[in-house]
Amino acid sequence: MVDVGDKPVTRRVAVASCSLHVGGRLLRLLRDARLPKGDALTVAQLAGALGAKRTAELIPLCHPLALDVVRVRVALPRGECAAGGALRVTCEARTQARTGVEMEALTGAAVAALALYDMCKSVDRDMRISDLRVEHKSGGRSDPRAEPPPPLRPHDESPRREDETYAPTNFMHF
């Protein structure tokens, strides 16, 4: 794990999304809430929130975070699409921490899409999940409102003695 102990606690926000491509019949069943397994959209929202909360258990070396809020939304394509369309799954995660919440937002969106896939696979075997990505993040070093990181110390240019060996002193990154 990366040592984040010296980083300041800041408000962190991340939004991630992905797409679930479905056929026309499934899209109609989702709109009418008539799936054989039940209300897939609500199950997806719950699964996404649970996935975001359990990110540190699923992703090795990911810091466990106390999330302030997780919001999962599933947007159906507009209009009548006989051929189907792409549902947009979005997950927003917020916290006050020393490290970002991108992984929590990504995991939440992915797990929500997987839950939808599971709920709908009996109706549409040709579904596919695509375009998982971080859409927005704020807080921490990459945030323009945040303080700049401290400068790095200059490189040591002093000559090495013959009886001296060199080994990196920061073993944390090996």
Side-chain angles (χ1 to χ4, degrees):
M1 265 176 125
V2 174
D3 183 359
V4 296
D6 291 335
K7 292 172 73 175
V9 173
T10 61
R11 183 172 189 260
R12 312 285 184 134
V13 178
V15 177
S17 69
C18 65
S19 298
L20 177 67
H21 301 269
V22 302
R25 178 172 175 246
L26 175 56
L27 193 53
R28 285 188 299 279
L29 290 171
L30 283 168
R31 283 196 173 129
D32 297 340
R34 292 186 305 133
L35 277 173
K37 276 191 163 181
D39 186 358
L41 301 177
T42 300
V43 170
Q45 288 177 315
L46 290 171
L50 288 172
K53 290 169 63 171
R54 295 211 162 186
T55 298
E57 296 172 32
L58 299 170
I59 309 295
L61 306 180
C62 198
H63 290 87
L65 297 177
L67 298 175
D68 295 332
V69 68
V70 175
R71 288 189 185 101
V72 178
R73 293 182 177 90
V74 180
L76 301 176
R78 294 178 186 234
E80 283 298 315
C81 299
L87 283 68
R88 184 159 184 242
V89 180
T90 306
C91 180
E92 175 185 4
R94 295 177 184 252
T95 191
Q96 297 276 337
R98 290 182 165 91
T99 187
V101 289
E102 299 92 332
M103 293 309 300
E104 286 73 11
L106 285 165
T107 303
V111 170
L114 289 168
L116 276 169
Y117 190 100
D118 178 58
M119 296 282 295
C120 302
K121 67 187 177 201
S122 65
V123 175
D124 185 352
R125 294 260 182 214
D126 295 324
M127 292 179 293
R128 65 184 165 86
I129 299 169
S130 68
D131 304 318
L132 179 64
R133 66 176 190 244
V134 174
E135 292 198 4
H136 166 79
K137 66 176 258 179
S138 64
R141 183 177 40 175
S142 64
D143 194 337
R145 298 168 293 193
E147 293 180 26
L152 295 174
R153 66 183 173 95
H155 180 68
D156 183 7
E157 300 272 341
S158 61
R160 190 172 52 107
R161 296 186 318 231
E162 285 189 34
D163 63 334
E164 228 175 9
T165 58
Y166 172 78
T169 56
N170 188 355
F171 293 104
M172 174 178 30
H173 298 290
F174 283 56

